[in-house]
Every structure is written in structure tokens, then in C-alpha cells.
Amino acid sequence: MSVIVAAIFAGFIFLKNQKGKMINRIDQNPAYVTGVVIEKMHFKGRSVKVKYDVDGVTYELSEGVSMKQFGSVNENSTLLVKYDKRKPGNAIVIWD
């Protein structure tokens, strides 16, 4: 049992570290665009799926959000998206 818990914890740390690295890459070469909420999801937490276009290519991102953020948007709401100019598929939502 303790091995399973350790594996889950290690996986969580790995994913958190990967997201941190992605945010650092975005911050090194940032660009901004308006995205549109295409779906709100509520299953073991809350998240939003956002669609955004860069140079004629459509991208989507899903991001876990707080209860306040989840309640502040609806489908078709617009949000500011910050992305990596070199790899536009790497993006985060900028919340006010």
C-alpha cells in the first residue's frame, strides 16, 4: 500500500514540475490572444476548456480552476490566453 501512495505522490510531483517548466517557457517568449470558453467541466474538481487561434490554427487548452473562477465564466465567455510564441500549443489562461 505504501508503494502505491509513494508512486501517486511521485506522479503528482512530476506533473506539477512539468507544468512549472511549461509556464517558464511561456514566460520566456510570451504572446497573448483572446480565447473562448467552449466547455465547463465539473468532475472531481472544476476545469474549463478554452479554444484560441494563433496564425490561423485553432488550439484548445484545459485548465483546472478555483470555484470562484469556475463561477465567473460560462460557455462562450472570453478569457485572455498567454502562450509560447515558439510553441503556441503551450498556453495558460490569465485570470484577473
Side-chain angles (χ1 to χ4, degrees):
M1 179 70 167
S2 62
V3 173
I4 294 171
V5 171
I8 291 170
F9 182 73
F12 174 77
I13 297 299
F14 174 79
L15 290 175
K16 187 171 182 161
N17 189 34
Q18 290 301 101
K19 181 161 182 154
K21 287 180 181 179
M22 181 185 75
I23 291 170
N24 286 338
R25 287 191 298 269
I26 292 169
D27 287 341
Q28 291 173 4
N29 201 16
Y32 299 86
V33 67
T34 300
V36 177
V37 176
I38 58 172
E39 187 176 358
K40 290 176 65 174
M41 297 162 282
H42 189 269
F43 178 75
K44 294 185 180 182
R46 291 163 296 281
S47 62
V48 293
K49 187 180 288 187
V50 179
K51 176 176 74 170
Y52 60 101
D53 295 319
V54 177
D55 296 329
V57 178
T58 300
Y59 298 89
E60 290 183 8
L61 71 92
S62 291
E63 187 169 293
V65 296
S66 70
M67 186 178 287
K68 180 180 177 184
Q69 293 165 332
F70 191 79
S72 71
V73 296
N74 294 305
E75 289 185 11
N76 296 317
S77 293
T78 58
L79 296 169
L80 184 61
V81 174
K82 183 178 180 181
Y83 67 92
D84 181 347
K85 284 186 208 176
R86 292 169 291 195
K87 197 169 183 182
N90 289 341
I92 57 172
V93 173
I94 302 299
W95 296 90
D96 293 332

